[in-house]
């Protein structure tokens, strides 16, 4: 237990907080207003239990240049010891302390943002306690070792990256050693070279053939050989006779053109009358629509020449000849052949002359549209064109003969799987690398790392199984204890399914809160579920945290030697929970070495003291953190009864003390001021509801004087005159009825008379 507080310097608001060493009792009650250092003192004691340096250094008093200093004296079964902090480090043993404060709540239960993974991990440590520390430490140790070994495996396997090509690590390691690898690789090199030569021969191209031009003169011949025959009423004979007389075909075209215009009654050329002339009528008959169509077909002959006789396909011959000449170098010496050639210029000349002859034929037909061109003329042109096709046919036949020789030669070549040879060669080279001295050492390192990883994994799994078995029992017990305390506090909820989760690697606590039938999943839950923060009030959350603390505390087998520190444990608690909190504190006093309670509610502290004294189970000490002259905090002795007493009680005690001679002269004015509120308070207590709050004694005496039966105030009427005399004296020390200042002079004998009268009135209703 904490025996003495010797010094606390420069810790938060406690700058020089202990004027002289303070010896604590088994039950120490420390009162303090808000911001006077309760949380600082609780955090200091918690830091001493874990030798936490940061917790104190971050609380160094603002503005001070002096070092922090803490010196605490503890009693323990193994011997007394000091816990000392010099601003940089703790010295001495770690005391056995259980501290319930806001830091405990935020570390193990919840924070403003909810329940975090770190809090669930701390909760699990809290639930398991010392009984599972060894198992959990072993699990954490083996987990870390497994991670280390996994890293070593990755590093060892990574060293093989530049040696194993595209093989996986396992396939590379599994490669067998080949004693004759060098000879086998050399033999494969030759086979691959031969196979590559064969492959090159097989890839050599065949020779290309020419594309023969296509000539189409059928429509041209049909038009050229056509005649126009139509005799109607002698028109043909008459018109032809006339045209023959007048320049023939030229006149025929001139007349045909003239008929497009509507003839006038008089000839525009000679002025002769045209109406009724037989020749004009013959013209109209002769030059009808059929004639027009005949002339149009003759006009198309030029276009048919261009379409039917083209040298376009010959444009590719030069490229084919060049390709064949290039391919010939690949086959020279391989097969016996003579590469054919074709006279491109001669072929183009034949086509050009044919085009010219056809154009002349078309012009002749146009000049003599009524005459048929002789069939032999066009046939001769066709014969010349066929000679070009014959040239192509002859050329292609020779190319086919050469390509047949190429095909026959390729069939004689042995087919070899070059890909298989190359793969075999690659494997042999990798086998050679795999069993080289340097790589063998690397493979041995991989094997060793993998074996060590497997051993670490097994050890981790064994530790996990052991921890899981232990946790299953401890968590069930812890859950039962938590729900017991929640039931004691009348909480409208309880916890269930307190289990562990290994999500994230290390184990964490996970539980469900049942709030009036609704489930609150405290842990990783689905979006939209009822949240911890929304489901519980601030009082409920604080109650849950305190239930966790109590379950942990009373499960500690060493609690008989532990000091318990409670910082404002009753904050946000209703009357029922305050009552049961006090019962829990009494249980701590009975089972633990010491209980230190810090609070800003002096009445609650006094209630704790009352319960402890009623059971006569421990000595108590009352302390206070109060403001010093520089607005820092001092830890000093404190009178709970005096602080909690009512004004009536304080005035009565002061008056009684004066009559016993225990008040010095300089305090007599305080006694005089106490008499009137003392009697006034007694009248309120003796006759409830008969006087209104705020009424003076004088007003109250007027009510007494005017009271009638059955009003109980009638009993005071015999004392009315004496009470008025008492009021005249006592009221003078509060106000001057004549408008002056309150009376300040004190006569001990006079004061004693009225003080005695006041107590007589209270004790026996006599003056």
């Amino acid at each position: 237990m904490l025996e003495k507080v010797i010094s606390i310097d420069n810790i938060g608001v406690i700058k020089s907080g202990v004027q002289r060493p303070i010896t604590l009792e088994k039950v120490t009650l420390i009162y303090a207003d808000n911001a006077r250092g309760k949380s600082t003192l609780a955090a200091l004691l918690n830091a001493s239990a874990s030798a936490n340096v940061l917790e104190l250094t971050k609380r160094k008093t603002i503005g001070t240049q002096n070092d922090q200093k803490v010196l605490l004296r503890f009693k323990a079964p193994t011997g007394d010891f000091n816990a000392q902090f010099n601003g940089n480090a703790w010295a001495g043993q770690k005391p056995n302390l259980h501290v319930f404060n806001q830091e405990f709540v935020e570390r193990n239960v919840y924070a403003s943002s909810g329940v975090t993974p770190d809090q669930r991990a701390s909760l699990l440590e809290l639930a398991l306690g010392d009984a599972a520390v060894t198992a959990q430490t072993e699990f954490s140790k083996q987990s870390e070792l497994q991670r280390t070994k996994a890293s070593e495996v990755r590093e060892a396997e990574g060293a093989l990256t530049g040696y194993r090509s595209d093989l996986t690590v396992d396939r590379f390691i599994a490669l067998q050693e080949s004693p004759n690898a060098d000879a086998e690789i050399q033999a494969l090199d030759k086979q691959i070279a031969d196979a590559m030569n064969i492959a090159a021969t097989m890839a050599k191209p065949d020779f290309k053939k020419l594309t023969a031009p296509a000539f189409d003169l059928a429509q041209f011949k049909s038009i050229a050989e056509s005649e126009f025959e139509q005799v109607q009423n002698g028109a043909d004979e008459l018109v032809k006779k006339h045209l023959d007389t007048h320049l023939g075909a030229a006149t025929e075209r001139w007349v045909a053109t003239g008929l497009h215009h509507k003839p006038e009654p008089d000839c525009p050329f000679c002025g002769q009358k045209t109406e009724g002339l037989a020749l004009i009528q013959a013209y109209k008959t002769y030059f009808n629509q059929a004639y027009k169509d005949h002339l149009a077909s003759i006009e198309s002959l030029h276009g048919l020449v261009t379409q039917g006789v083209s040298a376009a396909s010959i444009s590719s011959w030069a490229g084919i000849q060049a390709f064949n000449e290039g391919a010939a170098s690949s086959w020279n010496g391989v097969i016996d052949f003579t590469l054919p050639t074709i006279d491109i210029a001669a072929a183009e000349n034949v086509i050009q002359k044919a085009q010219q002859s056809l154009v002349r034929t078309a012009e002749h037909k146009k000049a003599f549209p009524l005459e048929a061109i002789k069939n032999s003329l066009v046939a001769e042109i066709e014969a010349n064109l066929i000679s070009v096709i014959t040239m192509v046919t002859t050329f292609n036949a020779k190319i086919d003969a050469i390509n047949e020789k190429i095909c026959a030669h390729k069939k004689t070549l042995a087919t070899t799987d070059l890909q298989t040879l190359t793969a075999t060669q690659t494997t042999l080279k990798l086998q050679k690398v795999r069993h080289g001295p340097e790589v063998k050492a690397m493979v041995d390192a991989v094997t060793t790392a993998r074996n060590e990883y497997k051993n670490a994994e097994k050890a981790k799994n064994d530790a996990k199984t052991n921890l899981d078995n232990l946790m299953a029992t401890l968590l069930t017990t812890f859950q039962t204890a938590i729900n017991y305390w929640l039931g004691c506090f009348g909480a409208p909820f309880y916890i269930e399914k307190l289990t562990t989760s290994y999500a994230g690697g290390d184990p964490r606590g996970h539980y469900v809160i049942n709030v009036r039938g609704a489930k609150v999943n405290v842990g990783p839950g689905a979006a939209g579920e009822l949240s911890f923060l929304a489901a519980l009030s601030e009082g409920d959350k604080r109650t849950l945290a305190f239930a966790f603390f109590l379950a942990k505390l009373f499960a500690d087998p060493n609690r008989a030697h532990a000091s318990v520190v409670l910082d404002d444990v009753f904050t946000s608690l209703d009357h029922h929970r305050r009552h049961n909190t006090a019962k829990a504190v009494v249980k701590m006093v009975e089972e633990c070495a010491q209980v230190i309670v810090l609070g800003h509610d002096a009445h609650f502290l006094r209630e704790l003291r009352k319960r402890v004294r009623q059971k006569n189970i421990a000595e108590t000490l009352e302390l206070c953190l109060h403001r010093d002259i520089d607005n820092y905090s001092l830890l000093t002795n404190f009178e709970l009864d005096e602080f909690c007493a009512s004004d009536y009680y304080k005035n009565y005690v002061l008056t009684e003390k004066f009559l016993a001679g225990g008040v010095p002269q300089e305090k007599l004015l305080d006694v005089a001021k106490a008499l009137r509120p003392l009697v006034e308070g007694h009248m309120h207590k003796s006759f409830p509801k008969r006087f209104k709050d705020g009424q003076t004694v004088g007003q109250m005496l007027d009510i007494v004087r005017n009271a009638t039966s059955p009003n109980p105030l009638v009993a005071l009427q015999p004392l009315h005159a004496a009470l008025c005399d008492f009021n005249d004296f006592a009221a003078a020390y509060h106000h001057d009825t004549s408008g002056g200042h309150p009376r300040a002079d004190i006569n001990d004998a006079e004061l004693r008379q009225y003080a005695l009268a006041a107590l007589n009135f209270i004790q026996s209703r006599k003056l």
Side-chain angles (χ1 to χ4, degrees):
M1 62 174 284
L2 177 58
E3 180 186 12
K4 284 186 179 182
V5 178
I6 300 172
S7 63
I8 303 175
D9 296 340
N10 300 313
I11 309 295
V13 74
I14 308 174
K15 185 176 183 181
S16 182
V18 182
Q19 295 176 324
R20 62 184 61 86
I22 300 174
T23 301
L24 276 61
E25 296 292 348
K26 179 171 183 176
V27 177
T28 299
L29 307 173
I30 303 175
Y31 170 80
D33 290 331
N34 289 326
R36 285 266 61 94
K38 295 189 305 297
S39 297
T40 299
L41 185 55
L44 185 157
L45 294 174
N46 196 36
S48 71
S50 57
N52 189 326
V53 173
L54 179 61
E55 182 62 31
L56 294 192
T57 56
K58 72 180 183 181
R59 291 176 180 269
K60 185 172 183 178
T61 301
I62 297 174
T64 184
Q65 301 298 319
N66 297 327
D67 292 337
Q68 292 178 299
K69 181 181 178 183
V70 175
L71 181 56
L72 308 173
R73 182 71 174 172
F74 287 90
K75 280 187 175 183
T78 56
D80 298 351
F81 64 92
N82 290 341
Q84 186 172 355
F85 181 71
N86 63 4
N88 297 307
W90 283 93
Q93 290 180 227
K94 295 178 183 178
N96 183 359
L97 286 171
H98 290 261
V99 180
F100 180 80
N101 58 357
Q102 188 61 28
E103 194 274 335
F104 171 88
V105 175
E106 293 182 357
R107 184 180 70 248
N108 300 296
V109 188
Y110 69 94
S112 59
S113 60
V115 182
T116 67
D118 286 344
Q119 286 163 340
R120 292 191 292 110
S122 296
L123 171 62
L124 187 62
E125 294 177 5
L126 180 75
L128 297 179
D130 295 337
V133 168
T134 302
Q136 188 167 4
T137 301
E138 180 64 16
F139 171 74
S140 299
K141 171 186 171 184
Q142 296 302 332
S143 295
E144 181 61 30
L145 180 60
Q146 183 198 34
R147 287 191 286 269
T148 300
K149 293 304 178 182
S151 177
E152 291 176 1
V153 169
R154 289 192 296 271
E155 184 178 351
E157 290 179 350
L160 295 174
T161 300
Y163 298 94
R164 59 184 175 84
S165 186
D166 294 332
L167 293 183
T168 64
V169 173
D170 289 336
R171 287 187 60 192
F172 180 71
I173 291 175
L175 290 175
Q176 298 297 314
E177 186 174 10
S178 177
N180 300 316
D182 290 336
E184 292 178 22
I185 291 172
Q186 187 176 3
L188 278 171
D189 287 342
K190 183 178 184 306
Q191 293 178 50
I192 289 171
D194 293 342
M196 291 177 66
N197 290 334
I198 293 173
T201 300
M202 296 295 287
K204 289 179 181 180
D206 290 356
F207 291 100
K208 292 184 178 181
K209 297 191 293 184
L210 300 176
T211 301
F215 303 120
D216 183 8
L217 296 178
Q219 191 176 357
F220 185 93
K221 287 168 61 179
S222 175
I223 296 172
E225 294 173 0
S226 67
E227 295 180 336
F228 187 74
E229 298 179 356
Q230 183 175 3
V231 179
Q232 184 176 350
N233 299 325
D236 182 45
E237 183 179 353
L238 179 60
V239 171
K240 285 187 176 182
K241 182 178 179 181
H242 179 75
L243 293 176
D244 288 343
T245 306
H246 297 85
L247 301 177
T251 302
E252 182 178 354
R253 286 194 297 275
W254 180 76
V255 173
T257 302
L259 281 177
H260 285 290
H261 306 283
K262 184 178 180 183
E264 299 178 0
D266 299 328
C267 177
F269 186 73
C270 65
Q272 184 180 349
K273 294 290 185 180
T274 61
E275 191 172 344
L277 288 178
L279 184 59
I280 296 299
Q281 187 61 39
Y283 283 159
K284 292 180 178 180
T285 301
Y286 184 84
F287 295 108
N288 59 10
Q289 184 61 44
Y291 182 79
K292 294 176 183 177
D293 293 342
H294 178 64
L295 292 181
S297 65
I298 292 172
E299 288 291 338
S300 70
L301 288 175
H302 279 285
L304 292 174
V305 171
T306 304
Q307 295 175 8
V309 182
S310 173
S313 61
I314 296 178
S315 62
S316 66
W317 290 5
I320 291 173
Q321 285 216 115
F323 174 84
N324 287 344
E325 289 172 359
S329 61
S330 299
W331 292 109
N332 286 331
V334 179
I335 59 172
D336 183 22
F337 69 97
T338 300
L339 188 65
T341 60
I342 191 167
D343 192 342
I344 298 174
E348 290 176 340
N349 186 49
V350 170
I351 293 172
Q352 185 179 9
K353 286 182 177 180
Q355 289 174 334
Q356 292 171 352
S357 297
L358 290 170
V359 169
R360 286 195 298 272
T361 301
E363 290 294 330
H364 180 77
K365 181 65 177 177
K366 187 175 180 181
F368 301 96
L370 304 179
E371 297 179 1
I373 303 297
K374 293 181 179 180
N375 182 41
S376 60
L377 179 60
V378 178
E380 182 181 351
I381 295 172
E382 282 186 309
N384 290 335
L385 289 173
I386 290 172
S387 67
V388 174
I389 295 175
T390 302
M391 293 169 62
V392 173
T393 302
T394 302
F395 179 89
N396 287 344
K398 293 179 179 180
I399 291 297
D400 284 339
I402 298 173
N403 285 340
E404 288 177 3
K405 290 183 178 182
I406 291 174
C407 181
H409 178 73
K410 286 183 177 180
K411 288 181 180 179
T412 64
L413 298 176
T415 56
T416 304
D417 189 346
L418 180 60
Q419 186 175 2
T420 300
L421 291 174
T422 304
T424 303
Q425 182 193 50
T426 300
T427 300
L428 278 169
K429 289 181 178 179
L430 286 172
Q431 285 177 291
K432 182 179 178 182
V433 170
R434 156 67 180 87
H435 292 281
E438 181 182 2
V439 176
K440 283 181 72 174
M442 293 180 182
V443 171
D444 290 343
V446 171
T447 303
T448 300
R450 286 180 171 182
N451 290 336
E452 290 178 353
Y453 172 80
K454 289 180 181 178
N455 293 335
E457 184 176 40
K458 182 180 183 305
K460 172 194 169 182
N461 292 337
D462 291 344
K464 180 178 180 297
T465 300
N466 182 42
L467 179 60
D468 287 344
N469 293 337
L470 185 58
M471 286 192 299
T473 301
L474 293 175
L475 291 180
T476 300
T477 303
F478 192 59
Q479 177 178 310
T480 301
I482 291 171
N483 288 332
Y484 165 78
W485 287 108
L486 291 176
C488 290
F489 294 128
F493 61 90
Y494 59 90
I495 70 168
E496 55 187 37
K497 300 179 181 178
L498 180 55
T499 58
T500 56
S501 168
Y502 287 87
D506 293 327
R508 294 169 179 164
H510 178 273
Y511 58 96
V512 172
I513 299 178
N514 189 314
V515 187
R516 300 179 179 89
K519 306 288 187 177
V520 181
N521 185 12
V522 181
E529 287 188 352
L530 185 63
S531 72
F532 175 86
L533 293 180
L536 301 182
S537 68
E538 289 305 313
D540 287 340
K541 295 171 192 172
R542 189 79 175 184
T543 299
L544 177 64
F546 193 45
F548 282 164
F549 178 81
L550 294 173
K552 166 67 174 176
L553 173 65
F554 290 110
D556 183 1
N558 297 318
R559 62 185 179 277
H561 306 299
S563 293
V564 182
V565 180
L566 305 176
D567 178 19
D568 261 352
V569 69
F570 38 84
T571 300
S572 302
L573 299 182
D574 55 28
H575 179 75
H576 174 74
R577 293 183 187 176
R578 286 166 64 95
H579 171 75
N580 285 285
T581 298
K583 288 179 62 177
V585 174
V586 171
K587 181 175 173 62
M588 295 178 199
V589 175
E590 292 174 332
E591 299 187 21
C592 301
Q594 183 182 38
V595 177
I596 301 172
V597 183
L598 301 99
H600 67 275
D601 187 337
H603 293 277
F604 182 80
L605 296 176
R606 187 175 64 168
E607 174 66 18
L608 290 179
R609 187 193 65 182
K610 175 183 176 182
R611 294 187 182 217
V612 170
R613 287 181 176 178
Q614 284 176 341
K615 287 201 170 190
N616 195 27
I617 54 177
E619 296 295 326
T620 62
L621 173 68
E622 302 150 35
L623 299 174
C624 174
L625 280 166
H626 63 87
R627 180 177 61 84
D628 66 10
I629 192 171
D630 296 319
N631 201 27
Y632 294 105
S633 293
L634 292 174
L635 184 63
T636 61
N637 290 330
F638 186 60
E639 288 292 337
L640 268 176
D641 287 334
E642 181 178 341
F643 184 85
C644 295
S646 65
D647 290 338
Y648 176 82
Y649 176 84
K650 292 178 181 178
N651 291 330
Y652 186 94
V653 170
L654 180 62
T655 302
E656 191 175 51
K657 185 177 181 181
F658 163 70
L659 291 174
V663 176
Q665 183 68 30
E666 63 271 16
K667 295 291 184 179
L668 295 184
L669 183 60
D670 292 337
V671 177
K673 290 180 178 180
L675 295 180
R676 191 182 76 162
L678 176 62
V679 171
E680 178 183 328
H682 178 71
M683 292 176 70
H684 275 288
K685 292 178 182 294
S686 299
F687 301 94
K689 297 184 180 180
R690 297 298 174 179
F691 305 110
K692 295 180 180 179
D693 290 340
Q695 287 182 326
T696 64
V697 174
Q699 292 170 326
M700 297 167 73
L701 291 176
D702 286 341
I703 295 173
V704 169
R705 184 184 65 218
N706 297 322
T708 59
S709 184
N711 190 329
L713 292 178
V714 172
L716 294 180
Q717 288 177 345
L719 302 174
H720 183 268
L723 286 172
C724 287
D725 178 61
F726 170 83
N727 187 50
D728 289 342
F729 171 80
Y733 291 97
H734 292 273
H735 60 83
D736 188 350
T737 55
S738 63
H741 295 288
R743 181 177 172 180
D745 60 299
I746 301 293
N747 181 282
D748 184 81
E750 183 183 28
L751 178 61
R752 186 177 185 280
Q753 173 189 346
Y754 286 103
L756 186 59
L759 290 188
N760 285 337
F761 173 70
I762 292 171
Q763 295 169 357
S764 58
R765 201 170 291 174
K766 294 179 181 180
L767 289 172

